[in-house]
Amino acid sequence: MRYMMMLYIPEGSWPKMTEAERAAGTAAYMTYTKALADAGVLVGTDRLEPSTAGTTIRTVNGKAQVLDGPYADTKEQLGGYYLIDVPDLDAALDWAAKCPGAQNGILEVRPVVG
Amino acid sequence: MSADPAARAVERAAREAYGRLVAWLGARSRDLAGAEDALADAFRAALESWPRAGVPARPEAWLLTAARRRMIDAARRRRTRDAAVPTLLATAGEVEAIGDFPDERLKLMFVCAHPAIDPAARAPLMLQVVLGLDAATIAAAFLVSPAAMGQRLVRAKEKIRLAGIGFHIPEPEELPARLDVVLDAIYAAYGTAWEELGTAALAQEAVWLARMAASLLPDAEALGLLALILFCESRRDARRDPAGRFVPLAAQDPARWDTALLTEARSALAHAGAMGRIGRFQLEAAIQSVHAARAETGRTDWETVALLYEGLHELTATTGVAVGRAAALAELRGPEAGLAALDAIEAGRVTAYQPYWALRATLLRRLGVAFQEAAGRALRLTADPATRAHLHRELGADP
């Protein structure tokens, strides 16, 4: 089954880090991504620009309403995702628990339809 | 019980095999609702066919084959890209080859009590899919409307199917924590029955689940839970006097305790203790075993009870444990010590906790100070009429 692990991370944390902390953080994600790939479960992954770079849009009465900023104004914001293919939820949760993002943020694990 | 032998065979197969059949089908399709529907169809077909054609040599295998076929048909009708179809098709050989299909009810219990399942749905789900209890009965026991319970169960089964919760025994490193959740759910089912004295039937079902868990997975805490439940069950009859009035433990006549259940409880607890992994259920069972010893010694060893509560309180400081500890201290050192222990419990945790107010009123009364307010609160929190009447007799409080 395919699962999307969505990483909700407190956005303020990254800019406040020292150069060394940021390097260590990046290395941790690289190691984790490689582990997923080596295990043959990685389908795809991307990191997102901060939510301040986001734009929301909805169509009301046929007219597009465009707004600056993310959909929900929360402390934790969607910062990236991993798409993995594993046998079941427990396997997905095992991987999610090992993700560096689970240490300073929250991961939501959702099955992909089909 | 039906008079017709074929119908009786169907009933017997239903009672004994329901959970095993649901577990087998669920493990291969992850679709518990679909498995239950298919199984209900299979039972209906059996009621039609067995009286005419005779009871098959292997009734469970017959039901399994029929239910499996129905599940495949139903999945095909849905025309979805359903992973269940190829998996179930692949089981054809398995069904024919095995005379006695594997018992996967333990896996089913772990699925029902998975951390990803709503905690309020775990015990009801187990009662429904492992034991085949209907939603209305479960709803009555848990004091929810049948509609709300039905919805809770449907949602939980949907979660299992969509989230892909796997049917397997957790890895050894996760097993103790995951088993605790299973045992909690069984205990919740029993606790619900315990409060509702009328529903002895649900208590029996919880005993059945506890026995099943302890036999499928001989773990110290599973045995501890079984012992705890059996100790409580052994006192079921003694909790009422001939006039139907509530009798508290201290006033019970040990001659009315069920000795067979007590023996089984003691043996389960001894077996658990020999495993060297202490836990909450074993400690609670040990407390009950001290109370049970009154049958032989004629007295209650409150020092040991207080000591066991101390250990339990360190392990898990729930409100129930804290109040039990206060009661033991009151017996051992007097009402002041008991009240001090009650005062140490955070006020927010006890506003709606009946045993706290009942004990508080009793201890205040023993000290000869105003107890009516506490007694009134205890009474307002008591739903069971017999327990209300008992409080009324003991404390003379008006509701």
Side-chain angles (χ1 to χ4, degrees):
Chain A
M1 275 183 78
R2 282 182 303 153
Y3 292 87
M4 181 171 273
M5 302 192 283
M6 291 171 277
L7 282 67
Y8 290 89
I9 311 288
E11 285 203 310
S13 58
W14 191 256
K16 280 189 215 131
M17 287 181 187
T18 65
E19 200 60 48
E21 282 169 338
R22 251 177 282 191
T26 307
Y29 273 102
M30 281 173 70
T31 308
Y32 177 67
T33 308
K34 186 172 181 303
L36 286 169
D38 289 348
V41 300
L42 184 66
V43 180
T45 177
D46 276 303
R47 201 179 130 198
L48 303 180
E49 293 291 353
S51 65
T52 47
T55 309
T56 51
I57 178 162
R58 76 169 81 192
T59 307
V60 180
N61 298 330
K63 212 171 149 228
Q65 291 186 348
V66 179
L67 282 172
D68 171 40
Y71 165 59
D73 192 15
T74 51
K75 190 161 129 299
E76 283 86 12
Q77 288 287 342
L78 183 63
Y81 72 88
Y82 284 98
L83 189 60
I84 59 170
D85 196 345
V86 291
D88 59 29
L89 180 66
D90 281 326
L93 293 176
D94 279 347
W95 279 112
K98 289 181 198 137
C99 178
Q103 280 170 37
N104 65 328
I106 295 155
L107 265 74
E108 182 179 338
V109 180
R110 285 262 286 269
V112 174
V113 175
Chain B
M1 188 62 83
S2 174
D4 181 358
R8 265 212 309 279
V10 175
E11 278 172 23
R12 209 164 33 238
R15 194 71 196 84
E16 284 163 16
Y18 188 86
R20 294 179 59 196
L21 292 163
V22 170
W24 194 93
L25 292 163
R28 280 147 192 86
S29 65
R30 281 181 195 164
D31 182 2
L32 287 179
E36 286 180 307
D37 289 347
L39 206 49
D41 276 350
F43 279 120
R44 265 195 294 277
L47 277 172
E48 279 170 26
S49 144
W50 294 4
R52 281 188 288 105
V55 178
R58 293 183 295 143
E60 293 183 6
W62 189 98
L63 288 163
L64 190 58
T65 307
R68 175 184 154 275
R69 221 175 275 140
R70 277 168 174 77
M71 276 195 93
I72 294 169
D73 289 348
R76 280 191 177 135
R77 266 200 308 277
R78 283 199 302 271
R79 292 167 181 275
T80 49
R81 282 189 298 147
D82 204 320
V85 176
T87 317
L88 283 169
L89 283 172
T91 59
E94 202 182 337
V95 177
E96 259 101 76
I98 44 171
D100 202 13
F101 63 97
D103 189 346
E104 293 175 301
R105 285 175 299 180
L106 186 61
K107 293 181 190 170
L108 185 57
M109 287 190 193
F110 276 111
V111 167
C112 293
H114 195 281
I117 298 293
D118 170 14
R122 291 173 194 160
L125 191 58
M126 235 187 245
L127 290 168
Q128 185 173 59
V129 300
V130 181
L131 298 180
L133 260 63
D134 64 281
T137 307
I138 301 169
F142 283 82
L143 305 175
V144 237
S145 75
M149 182 54 80
Q151 206 173 31
R152 196 185 288 176
L153 289 164
V154 165
R155 220 181 280 137
K157 286 176 219 166
E158 270 297 281
K159 175 72 190 264
I160 291 166
R161 189 172 69 83
L162 291 177
I165 293 177
F167 280 63
H168 52 73
I169 310 293
E171 300 295 317
E173 64 269 24
E174 291 170 6
L175 191 61
R178 290 284 309 279
L179 182 64
D180 280 351
V181 186
V182 172
L183 300 178
D184 272 343
I186 297 175
Y187 192 45
Y190 185 75
T192 303
W194 188 233
E195 277 158 32
E196 296 301 301
L197 283 149
T199 57
L202 183 64
Q204 293 307 315
E205 304 292 351
V207 171
W208 189 320
L209 278 177
R211 277 212 183 93
M212 195 190 291
S215 71
L216 293 175
L217 189 73
D219 162 275
E221 276 293 88
L223 284 160
L225 174 67
L226 177 61
L228 171 60
I229 288 181
L230 291 173
F231 275 123
C232 295
E233 262 317 271
S234 73
R235 301 200 288 259
R236 174 168 295 281
D237 292 343
R239 293 177 80 217
R240 286 282 191 269
D241 69 9
R245 284 177 302 201
F246 174 76
V247 185
L249 176 55
Q252 284 171 17
D253 175 7
R256 293 190 65 204
W257 294 343
D258 185 319
T259 44
L261 288 176
L262 276 178
T263 308
E264 193 190 346
R266 286 195 179 110
S267 132
L269 184 58
H271 190 173
M275 290 178 173
R277 185 174 84 87
I278 200 71
R280 147 165 101 99
F281 290 121
Q282 291 167 78
L283 284 171
E284 290 202 37
I287 291 168
Q288 297 309 321
S289 83
V290 177
H291 286 301
R294 183 158 65 84
E296 286 87 42
T297 63
R299 59 177 285 274
T300 303
D301 179 357
W302 286 107
E303 201 159 335
T304 306
V305 171
L307 200 66
L308 287 166
Y309 264 115
E310 221 51 60
L312 193 54
H313 195 252
E314 262 170 49
L315 206 65
T316 163
T318 62
T319 311
V321 168
V323 173
R325 174 173 170 267
L329 286 173
E331 292 296 334
L332 190 63
R333 299 203 200 112
E336 296 93 341
L339 278 171
L342 283 182
D343 286 339
I345 308 171
E346 212 182 300
R349 285 167 58 186
V350 297
T351 41
Y353 193 63
Q354 190 267 1
Y356 175 92
W357 296 104
L359 178 62
R360 188 168 192 93
T362 307
L363 297 181
L364 289 170
R365 184 162 174 268
R366 246 195 259 171
L367 283 172
V369 294
F371 64 91
Q372 283 79 3
E373 198 205 321
R377 289 188 79 154
L379 216 48
R380 280 194 295 279
L381 291 167
T382 310
D384 175 52
T387 313
R388 283 179 69 89
H390 168 74
L391 277 178
H392 210 80
R393 283 194 304 277
E394 287 290 296
L395 299 165
D398 285 316

